[in-house]
């Protein structure tokens, strides 16, 4: 297995770690069932972190709902 430590490029992007390995069993084998079953939650955490970092850098979108803003009234309603 190969591991790479933290590296940062000129744009400030950081690569925390990459692990490269060869599987000894197919992904759909009983030996890897627990590993494969856990991938969804690990990827969900990574996706949420990416969105959070974007929000911190750029702020909420112009049309984003927050507790400080109200939804606009539908057209034709006072």
């Amino acid at each position: 297995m190969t591991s790479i430590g933290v590296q940062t490029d000129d744009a400030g992007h950081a690569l925390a770690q990459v692990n490269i390995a060869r599987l000894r069993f197919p992904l759909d084998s009983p030996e890897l069932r627990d590993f494969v079953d856990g991938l969804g939650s690990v990827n969900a955490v990574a996706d949420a972190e990416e969105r959070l970092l974007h929000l911190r850098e750029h702020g909420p979108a112009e049309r984003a709902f927050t507790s400080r803003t109200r939804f606009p009234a539908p057209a034709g309603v006072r």
Side-chain angles (χ1 to χ4, degrees):
M1 185 186 314
T2 302
S3 288
I4 300 173
V6 175
Q7 298 176 351
T8 305
D9 65 8
D10 294 336
H13 298 101
L15 176 64
Q17 184 174 353
V18 173
N19 293 320
I20 301 170
R22 289 189 177 177
L23 294 175
R24 295 182 357 184
F25 303 100
L27 282 174
D28 58 354
S29 68
E31 291 84 0
L32 292 177
R33 182 173 293 130
D34 290 340
F35 173 77
V36 173
D37 289 347
L39 288 177
S41 60
V42 170
N43 289 334
V45 169
D47 291 343
E49 169 109 13
E50 184 177 319
R51 289 191 300 271
L52 180 61
L53 292 174
H54 179 82
L55 182 60
R56 284 183 182 165
E57 184 176 330
H58 301 288
E62 180 180 317
R63 296 186 57 151
F65 172 77
T66 68
S67 60
R68 295 183 199 128
T69 61
R70 298 175 61 186
F71 282 114
V77 176
R78 290 183 174 189

